[in-house]
Structures are given as structure tokens and as C-alpha cells.
Amino acid sequence: MTIKETAQRAIQLMDLTSLNNNDSVEVISNLCAAAKTDFGSPAAICVYPEMIVWSKLELARLGLHSVKVATVTNFPEGSENVDRAQAETERAVAAGADEVDVVFPYKALIAGNAQVGFELVKACKEACADKAKLKVIIESGELKTAALIRQASEIAISAGADFIKTSTGKVPVNATLEATEIMLKAIQASGAKCGFKAAGGVRTADDAAQYLELAASIMGIDWISADNFRFGASSLLGNLLSTLNNAEAVEKDGY
């Protein structure tokens, strides 16, 4: 796959994200507008729960009916309060979220409590019912060890996660190829229909290519689609568009 083909594919696998404390309706309108490119649109935009309704309206106004709206719950701290996480997820789904990215109680797992993670994911999956997909953020950079990353992945999958996701993007270490390999192999070993999302730290077409190559080597190239694989990013889109526009300029110049 050429770098241009990789860049275009990566756009269509993106959750274009804005999760900043100063997000306003103007910021989110601009985010939605950015989703309309000459090279296709992201799979979803990811915003805070209070911006779900506005995002839906803006995407509809722009004619971007295929772009999903994702949101976050139990974010970013990964509390072990199951009732709160479930209630937040229920409210997000009621507001119209197509996908919910919930933070796994990773600190509890580090402390030796594996059961609460299963219960929290299961409760949030029930809250999503058949109305929204549940993406579980295991916070791999905080779990650190291969054993804990694998355990969190296995717990989330067994509790019904539709996706497992590396990171919140709010900690020092976010997506890495090492964590991605562990998580993809957990999905493969489970035999479950579960997707994967790399979030934070994927900034260029070259970065995206490495993740796509790794996923293809473990899961097969046909597995890679927006139903199974996502990038969560804010700055990635601009870099992908630069790659594509530069490639087009070169082609027009005949080189």
C-alpha cells in the first residue's frame, strides 16, 4: 500500500476527537466541518457527552450522515464506581451517542481487583443495549506490564466490549505498538467479535502505516475496516491531509 493509500484509508478509520475542557459549540462545529474532506470522512467524531446533540445536528447539516458520534464515560480517571459509569453511559446513549468509550477501572486492576472491571464493562454494555457500541479504554500506558494489558483486554472482551482501546490520551504514555500487539493477540485468542482502537500518539501517515501493518499481520488484512479498527486522534487528520495533498501535487507535476 502506498503512503497515499494508507493516508486515505486512515482517514476513514479515524475517530476525529476533541476532548478539551474548553470545548465550545464553535469548537465542535469546526470539528464537524473538518470531518468533510476531499478524501472521505472519518468513521466518527468523539466529543464530551454535553456535545452529543450539537454534533448530531452539525453533522446532519453538513450532510455527513455516515459519521457516527462517539463520547466518553467514566473519563478520564477510570473510577471503579459501577453505578456511576452505567448511569453516565445510559445518559450518553439517551442523548444519541452511537458509540461510548468507557474507561476501564485500571487502577483497581493494578491493585489486584479484577472483578470490578468485569462488572463495570458488563453494566455499561447493558446500558448500550443494541443502540450503541461500547469501546473500553484499558489505559495501557498506565497498566505498563504485558500481563496487566493482556488481563485488562481479556476482561473487557469477556464482559462484552465491542472494541478495546489503548488510551484516554490524557496520560504520559498512550498508544504504543507493543501494547497494540498484546491487545490484538488477546482479541485473536478470544475468538470474539471485538475491534481495536489506537488512541493518542498516532500523528502521521507513517505512524498509521505501522499500526495497520501490525493489525494485518495478526488479524488479516480483510479484518481492517471501520467496524473493527479505529484511530483516535486530534492532530492526525491534518497530517494525513497534508500527505494526500502533497501526493496530489506531485502527481499533477508529473513526477
Side-chain angles (χ1 to χ4, degrees), residues 128-189:
C128 287
D130 58 353
K131 296 177 181 177
K133 286 189 173 181
L134 183 69
K135 309 211 286 292
V136 179
I137 307 168
I138 67 164
E139 203 70 289
S140 56
E142 294 294 287
L143 293 172
K144 293 182 171 62
T145 70
L148 282 173
I149 293 168
R150 186 179 304 108
Q151 186 180 13
S153 299
E154 290 169 350
I155 292 168
I157 294 166
S158 66
D162 295 300
F163 277 73
I164 51 175
K165 172 180 170 181
T166 59
S167 326
T168 58
K170 302 291 187 182
V171 294
V173 177
N174 293 290
T176 65
L177 290 167
E178 292 77 15
T180 295
E181 182 174 3
I182 295 164
M183 294 170 72
L184 286 169
K185 286 183 175 177
I187 294 170
Q188 181 189 47

Side-chain angles (χ1 to χ4, degrees), residues 10-86:
I11 286 176
Q12 295 161 3
L13 298 172
M14 278 188 66
D15 288 358
L16 182 60
T17 301
S18 188
L19 294 170
N20 301 304
N21 292 334
N22 60 349
D23 282 348
S24 62
V25 291
E26 183 179 7
V27 167
I28 301 307
S29 292
N30 290 336
L31 185 77
C32 293
K36 194 168 191 173
T37 84
D38 293 335
F39 304 98
S41 297
I45 63 163
C46 187
V47 297
Y48 277 127
E50 56 267 29
M51 292 295 177
I52 293 169
V53 173
W54 184 259
S55 299
K56 288 273 200 180
L57 291 170
E58 284 294 278
L59 290 171
R61 182 180 66 80
L62 292 162
L64 296 174
H65 303 292
S66 67
V67 179
K68 307 295 187 186
V69 174
T71 194
V72 289
T73 59
N74 206 32
F75 188 91
E77 73 279 4
S79 163
E80 56 188 271
N81 187 328
V82 174
D83 290 341
R84 192 185 83 180
Q86 183 176 27

Side-chain angles (χ1 to χ4, degrees), residues 2-11 13-14 175 177 198 200-213 229 231-244 246:
T2 67
I3 197 66
K4 180 179 178 181
E5 289 168 336
T6 297
Q8 185 153 5
R9 192 170 196 190
I11 286 176
L13 298 172
M14 278 188 66
L177 290 167
V202 184
R203 296 185 176 88
T204 67
D206 287 333
D207 291 342
Q210 293 182 69
Y211 283 86
L212 292 172
E213 287 166 10
F229 187 98
F231 293 111
S234 53
S235 62
L236 177 61
L237 180 61
N239 289 314
L240 295 176
L241 291 174
S242 293
T243 296
L244 287 162
N246 288 341

